[in-house]
Each structure stands twice: as structure tokens, then as C-alpha cells.
Amino acid sequence: MLCDIVGYMNPEKYDITVQTFYDVGAYKHRLPAYVRYRTVVSRKADVIRKVNGRVLWQKMPKGYVYEKYIRQDYDYEVAFLEGLSTKLIADGIKDKKEGGPKRFAWVHADLFTYYYTGKFYGSVEEEAASYQKFDRVVCVSENAKDCFIKRYGDTANLCVKYNFIDRERILKMSREMPAHGLPQKAGGEFLIVTVGRLNVQKGYDRLLSAIHELHSGGMPCRLWIFGEGEERGALERYIKQNGMCEYVELFGFVDNPYCYIKEGDLFVCSSRGEGYGLAIAEAMLLGVPVVSTDCAGPAELLNHGEAGLIVENSKEGIRRGMVEMYESKEMRLKFQKAGMERVHFFEPSYRMSQIEELFEE
């Protein structure tokens, strides 16, 4: 999403630097040529990632990384990810009354259901105090904002700015054929696709268990999962132990998942918690009907069930939702049509104008 936002910003108006802490990430090549790129920890010195995060970030002198590696003559500073980015910039703010750059913190996740940022702080109260230092805390959905308030209280600087999707880029990439071609699926097979980081939040353990039950019960289904993450080993073991290798594939990170997604009969979001769910919007654009667990962002994206099937946030809910969509072609066509009509909600120029309003306040 960050690459898309800076790609839509006017380089004649904004002088943009993107800085990462770790010099890793699959999307650096998508940064426009006019964007400067900086990092704190180079790949050669990347031993810091192996240090216990809780000890490191709670014991490091406050403001050290900001003063040594981040501080420049910026007009705006944006912490675009919860946790470490937010802490590093907040720790550099001595006193808002002293002036300096305007500062914004983005919140993409449901931090009430899936609270993963605590390792960077000594307490929830300390983290809430960090957010209060920013001029604006930008939540990517109303539901993400509600979950933020449940976790930290109302910090009085909250607003909502929805993410968008780059329609033309996604449609163009969806028409490209992978060098090795697309995998073949058997006639009559029901193809389910999903995209996301392989972590506990995404609920792929529940999705695999549900798929195993359905396939064992005679449903001719196949599952494609795109993404990487720390749960890959556990998911691979489950697939092998349950004899699922013939109908479940973990593709890992794929630079262009869109040509695969559009082949799907169904897109499933099995997340335990989700602040927005951009992959859902991309599936809708590509004409693939969606089933999602009932969690923050997806419910909003799907217009509370008007543009996709929202199910109980459990393995059984996921299983029933997939069965319901498999058994009803009429329902799939209904949600396919409604999803494609909903795409205007993610239109880039309108959403970018709202984001740029932040810099003009």
C-alpha cells in the first residue's frame, strides 16, 4: 500500500523519502524513481533481527534510533506501520509544542483482536502515550478505529482514511501469464484462493482444517495460498500429515498473484482479525466472489454482507461459508456482481485526495 500511495503523490509537490528499519521487503522495486530510499539496518548487519525484540526495544535508550538514523529536515514524518515504526518516531518527539514536522501514524490492523505490537513497549499505557504524540492517527477503516479505541482509549487525534487499489495496474497484471504457465485444475474442481502473510492472525490453520473436512467429505475443492511468513513450517506439516498435498498448494510470495486470483471460483479471508483486508478488494475487482470471517475491516469492505458472504469467525463458520458458496452458483454470481460494483469505493484519486488533506491541515 505504501508503494501505491507514494506512487500517486505529485513529485513536483512532495519530496519523498521512504525509510525502513530492516533492509528487507519484496516491494522495494515498486518505489518510483523519484523516491529516495534509506534503511537503518543493512542486510550485512542484519543480526539485530535475531535479538529478543521485547528486551531490545524496551531497553534501548529512548530516541536513540530516531536521533541517529531518522531525524532530517522533514516537514512531515509518517509511521506507516504499527509497532516499531510508531515507537521510533514517537520516541523522537520531545515536546509537540516545540514545533518541528507534522507527524502521522497509520493503523492497518485490528489491534484489539490481534494485539501484536506490545513487544515494543513496556505496557499498553506506554503505547497509548506514543500514539498521543502524533498529530493524527490514521486508521484504514471505521472498524479499525473502533478496535483501536477498545485497546487504547480515544486518543482524540483519530481519523479514518481508506486504502485504495490501483485498478489499472492490477487488471493489467491479471492479464499477464506466468513464465511457467498457470497450474492446471481438474474438470469440475472448485478452486479456492487466498492471499496474505502466513501468520496466526490470518487463520490459515482453520482454513486448512475446514478444507480437509470438505475434501474428505467429497467436495472436489482445491486451495491455493499465496504469501510467506513464520507459520509456513506448521502449515506444511499439517498439509503433509493429513495427505493434502494433492489439493493444497503454498505458493509463497508471488510478485503477481492477480493472474492466479482471477482463476479462482472463490476468495476466502479466514482472518482472526483484520484492519482492512486489501486482498479482498483486489479479488472483488477481479470478479471473484468473497467469503470472509466477521472481523473489523472486511465487514466494512463487503458493505456488511451486501458485496460478499460474511461468516462466523471460527473454523466452522469458514467451512459452512465455503459449502454455501460451492452449492449455490446463484449466490456466487450475486456476490461477483455486487463486488465488482463495490470497486468504486476503492477508487485511487478520491482516496488520495483525502490522504493529501492530512498534509494540508
Side-chain angles (χ1 to χ4, degrees):
M1 190 68 242
L2 176 61
C3 293
D4 287 332
I5 288 176
V6 298
Y8 270 87
M9 296 182 81
N10 182 354
E12 295 182 1
K13 185 176 181 181
Y14 299 105
D15 184 11
I16 304 167
T17 297
V18 169
Q19 180 161 6
T20 61
F21 190 83
Y22 303 117
D23 188 21
V24 295
Y27 295 108
K28 282 197 301 182
H29 68 282
R30 281 188 48 208
L31 287 173
Y34 55 80
V35 172
R36 279 188 299 278
Y37 174 77
R38 302 175 66 211
T39 189
V40 174
V41 182
S42 69
R43 286 179 181 273
K44 290 182 179 179
D46 203 8
V47 295
I48 199 169
R49 298 179 73 204
K50 300 177 175 62
V51 177
N52 184 297
R54 183 177 294 275
V55 173
L56 177 66
W57 301 116
Q58 290 179 18
K59 300 300 182 184
M60 183 174 286
K62 188 172 270 191
Y64 171 79
V65 173
Y66 179 86
E67 292 295 336
K68 186 171 178 61
Y69 297 103
I70 298 174
R71 181 186 287 279
Q72 297 283 323
D73 188 22
Y74 297 132
D75 295 304
Y76 308 98
E77 293 176 348
V78 179
F80 200 68
L81 194 61
E82 312 88 354
L84 180 57
S85 300
T86 301
K87 177 177 174 59
L88 292 179
I89 290 182
D91 283 355
I93 303 173
K94 299 294 188 284
D95 186 348
K96 285 175 66 175
K97 296 178 181 177
E98 293 178 359
K102 274 190 162 184
R103 296 176 174 99
F104 309 110
W106 246 254
V107 174
H108 303 267
D110 170 353
L111 291 174
F112 182 75
T113 305
Y114 183 63
Y115 180 53
Y116 73 96
T117 57
K119 65 183 179 182
F120 301 111
Y121 296 89
S123 66
V124 173
E125 291 74 21
E126 182 187 341
E127 188 171 5
S130 284
Y131 280 112
Q132 288 170 343
K133 292 182 177 182
F134 287 86
D135 292 281
R136 286 287 190 176
V137 175
V138 183
C139 301
V140 298
S141 68
E142 289 290 346
N143 281 318
K145 177 183 171 184
D146 292 342
C147 293
F148 181 96
I149 291 171
K150 288 179 186 177
R151 172 64 63 184
Y152 306 107
D154 190 344
T155 54
N157 55 355
L158 299 173
C159 66
V160 173
K161 304 292 181 184
Y162 290 97
N163 288 337
F164 60 86
I165 54 175
D166 190 336
R167 175 189 174 95
E168 296 309 315
R169 179 180 65 85
I170 292 170
L171 290 176
K172 179 177 180 292
M173 292 176 72
S174 75
R175 294 189 289 268
E176 297 172 358
M177 182 66 69
H180 49 74
L182 291 166
Q184 296 297 309
K185 60 176 182 175
E189 206 168 42
F190 190 69
L191 177 60
I192 298 164
V193 295
T194 187
V195 179
R197 183 163 177 78
L198 305 185
N199 59 20
V200 173
Q201 174 201 358
K202 298 298 182 182
Y204 292 140
D205 55 328
R206 306 187 298 180
L207 177 58
L208 287 179
S209 179
I211 288 286
H212 181 240
E213 288 184 14
L214 294 179
H215 196 274
S216 299
M219 180 173 158
C221 54
R222 175 174 292 275
L223 174 63
W224 291 352
I225 300 178
F226 297 90
E228 276 297 350
E230 59 272 19
E231 288 295 300
R232 172 180 267 279
L235 298 176
E236 286 178 332
R237 286 191 295 275
Y238 185 91
I239 291 167
K240 290 175 183 176
Q241 289 167 3
N242 290 279
M244 302 170 69
C245 296
E246 293 299 313
Y247 58 93
V248 175
E249 296 178 71
L250 296 178
F251 284 80
F253 174 80
V254 176
D255 194 42
N256 178 12
Y258 309 117
C259 56
Y260 297 90
I261 294 172
K262 74 172 185 179
E263 298 296 314
D265 297 299
L266 182 67
F267 184 95
V268 173
C269 170
S270 54
S271 293
R272 292 180 165 88
E274 195 76 58
Y276 193 70
L278 200 61
I280 290 175
E282 294 168 343
M284 293 161 69
L285 171 64
L286 295 171
V288 182
V290 175
V291 166
S292 174
T293 49
D294 190 2
C295 53
E300 210 167 326
L301 286 177
L302 296 171
N303 201 17
H304 305 284
E306 294 295 318
L309 182 62
I310 298 173
V311 299
E312 177 186 278
N313 199 332
S314 66
K315 186 199 86 171
E316 183 58 23
I318 296 166
R319 189 194 68 80
R320 286 201 304 263
M322 291 189 293
V323 169
E324 197 171 349
M325 288 287 242
Y326 169 69
E327 292 181 344
S328 176
K329 184 177 181 180
E330 182 181 357
M331 178 180 287
R332 295 199 304 274
L333 291 173
K334 167 193 163 185
F335 284 131
Q336 179 188 50
K337 181 175 183 291
M340 294 180 79
E341 290 173 350
R342 176 76 168 156
V343 165
H344 71 85
F345 185 78
F346 319 110
E347 200 278 320
S349 60
Y350 174 61
R351 294 301 173 198
M352 271 305 303
S353 68
Q354 292 192 315
I355 289 172
E356 290 191 4
E357 285 175 2
L358 286 171
F359 303 108
E360 297 167 3
E361 287 181 344

